[in-house]
C-alpha cells in the first residue's frame, strides 16, 4: 500500500491549504483508518486528526478531513493557518484486519502501518 501526499508549501498567516493523500489500495479504500500527523522541528510527531476527529485543540474548527472515494484520496483542509501550524505533515493508514480499521482512542504513530512521504507546511509572513 502506498500513500502519496501533495499540497504543502508556504502560506501566510490566516491563509488556507489543502493537503491530499492518495492511497494505492483503492479496492479497500473504505476499510482503512486514515490519520494526519505533523512533526515540527525538535518536536515529536503528533496526531492532528484521525478520520474526522481532532486531537489538537488548536485545530478544532480550522482543519477538516474529507474524502473522494472515486480518487481513493483523503484531504486535509487547513484554514486560518497560524505560524504554530508549521510542520511536516504526514498521512498514515491503519490497515483492516477481518473488519474495517478504526482510529484508536489515542492514536500514536505505531498504530499505523503505512505512511506518506510527508509534505512541508510553512506558515509565515
Amino acid at each position: 500500500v502506498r500513500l502519496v501526499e501533495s499540497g504543502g508549501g508556504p502560506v501566510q498567516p490566516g491563509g488556507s491549504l489543502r493537503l491530499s493523500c492518495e492511497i494505492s489500495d483503492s479496492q479497500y479504500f473504505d476499510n482503512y483508518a486514515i490519520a494526519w500527523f505533523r512533526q515540527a522541528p525538535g518536536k515529536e510527531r503528533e496526531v492532528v486528526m484521525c478520520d474526522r476527529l481532532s486531537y489538537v485543540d488548536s485545530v478544532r474548527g480550522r482543519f477538516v478531513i474529507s474524502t473522494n472515494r472515486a480518487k481513493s484520496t483523503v484531504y486535509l483542509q487547513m484554514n486560518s493557518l497560524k505560524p504554530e501550524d508549521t510542520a511536516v505533515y504526514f498521512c498514515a493508514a491503519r490497515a483492516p484486519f477481518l473488519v474495517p480499521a478504526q482510529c484508536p482512542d489515542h492514536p500514536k504513530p505505531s498504530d499505523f502501518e503505512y505512511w506518506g512521504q510527508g509534505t512541508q507546511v510553512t506558515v509565515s509572513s
Side-chain angles (χ1 to χ4, degrees):
V1 177
R2 292 179 59 240
L3 279 62
V4 179
E5 297 180 44
S6 60
V11 63
Q12 293 189 340
S16 297
L17 281 176
R18 188 177 77 163
L19 307 183
S20 301
C21 177
E22 183 179 0
I23 300 162
S24 64
D25 189 5
S26 59
Q27 182 176 1
Y28 299 105
F29 172 75
D30 286 336
N31 291 343
Y32 287 83
I34 305 299
W36 287 92
F37 287 77
R38 68 184 181 186
Q39 188 165 18
K43 295 188 176 181
E44 292 187 354
R45 193 169 298 188
E46 64 173 356
V47 62
V48 178
M49 298 190 70
C50 193
D51 284 344
R52 285 174 170 77
L53 298 177
S54 301
Y55 291 86
V56 176
D57 289 342
S58 64
V59 310
R60 287 194 178 94
R62 299 190 297 120
F63 289 14
V64 178
I65 283 182
S66 62
T67 60
N68 183 326
R69 289 181 175 82
K71 295 184 178 181
S72 300
T73 299
V74 177
Y75 303 98
L76 180 66
Q77 178 68 43
M78 304 185 295
N79 301 317
S80 302
L81 283 161
K82 305 175 181 180
E84 52 263 41
D85 295 319
T86 295
V88 178
Y89 284 73
F90 300 87
C91 64
R94 189 178 195 192
F97 181 71
L98 302 179
V99 297
Q102 294 185 352
C103 293
D105 289 341
H106 303 286
K108 52 188 184 297
S110 59
D111 292 324
F112 297 83
E113 295 92 344
Y114 305 104
W115 289 83
Q117 78 278 14
T119 186
Q120 177 71 48
V121 172
T122 303
V123 186
S124 173
S125 56

